[in-house]
Amino acid sequence: MRVEDIYVAEAAGEPMQRVESVRAVSGGLEGDRYCTGRGHYSPFDVCQVTFVQAEALEEIRDRTTLDVTDGQHRRNVVVRGGDVHDLLDHRFTVGSARLEGTRTRPPCRYLEQVTGQDGLLRALADGNGGICARVADSGSFSVGDEIRDVEDLNDFESLVANIRERVGR
């Protein structure tokens, strides 16, 4: 999987801005509404970083008249070449940042409100809404960076081996 696009928005309802690179820090992406606590659902339902598949967005574009380009999907990172759901319960790296896939990110009614597109909720449902991730270790990443799976957080033996490697034992 590779990063195809990166988007941030300064505050709830603000247009998503495409950036070439971003710094992931404790709490999310620098300059993004959820990292600064200015997101619509802050602090109740926070996803630090959201990922969505380019292929899912293309499918929506091909079967509807909805505009899911230029950040209209309201997700931070668009990836190509794999299923973002494979990152759930996994620790992975992108650029120099390390993240953990935490849960699916189903769309909400607010999405239709802020974009003015009726039907966007339904189009992004059924697994097309992407996932949430937590920043485990700060770092930067850019458009074009590969996403590398580091460890399955449900695989206890792998988890122990990775911890031992980090502490040098």
Side-chain angles (χ1 to χ4, degrees), residues 116-150:
Q117 295 190 75
D118 290 335
L120 192 55
L121 174 83
R122 185 180 350 218
L124 284 170
D126 298 326
N128 291 326
I131 68 163
C132 297
R134 183 184 78 75
V135 178
D137 295 308
S138 297
S140 297
F141 62 91
S142 302
V143 170
D145 283 351
E146 185 177 348
I147 297 173
R148 292 189 172 89
D149 190 2
V150 175

Side-chain angles (χ1 to χ4, degrees), residues 151-169:
E151 64 190 309
D152 180 343
L153 297 175
N154 292 319
D155 178 355
F156 183 72
E157 289 179 21
S158 172
L159 201 55
V160 169
N162 278 306
I163 291 169
R164 284 186 175 143
E165 180 180 314
R166 282 189 220 143
V167 296
R169 291 185 179 176

